[in-house]
Amino acid sequence: MDALRRDPEGCSLAPRHRALADYAIKLARTPGSLVERDLEPLRSAGLSDRDIHDACAVASYYCFVNRMANGLGVELEEAEAGR
């Protein structure tokens, strides 16, 4: 998780996790650019349509909560000391 946090695009991940991370990154950074072919790596990694739906829902919710916190000026506390 630390490697993913430090370098989301460059860290070494298993193919399934890489596909999920790349999808979540694109959904968070450029949601309007997603097209059907962006789902191909997920399907190639063995994810079902339900898995893809769930990944989209989790990533979207995370983005939503962060946008709400940003929009309201909420300062989040670190989950663990020393980060």
Side-chain angles (χ1 to χ4, degrees):
M1 291 304 297
D2 288 334
L4 185 59
R5 188 178 303 114
R6 282 191 306 274
D7 184 13
E9 291 91 354
C11 72
S12 178
L13 296 171
R16 182 178 176 103
H17 293 144
R18 178 81 271 154
L20 283 164
D22 290 344
Y23 175 75
I25 289 166
K26 187 168 186 178
L27 182 60
R29 292 183 179 165
T30 57
S33 72
L34 282 161
V35 294
E36 178 69 25
R37 75 174 173 274
D38 289 311
L39 304 180
E40 290 172 11
L42 298 168
R43 290 188 176 117
S44 293
L47 278 83
S48 68
D49 285 345
R50 175 63 188 258
D51 295 332
I52 294 168
H53 171 273
D54 291 350
C56 182
V58 169
S60 296
Y61 181 71
Y62 183 81
C63 290
F64 169 76
V65 169
N66 279 298
R67 297 306 179 276
M68 288 294 295
N70 293 147
L72 297 173
V74 174
E75 293 192 26
L76 303 176
E77 295 180 23
E78 290 292 328
E80 296 177 21
R83 279 197 180 170

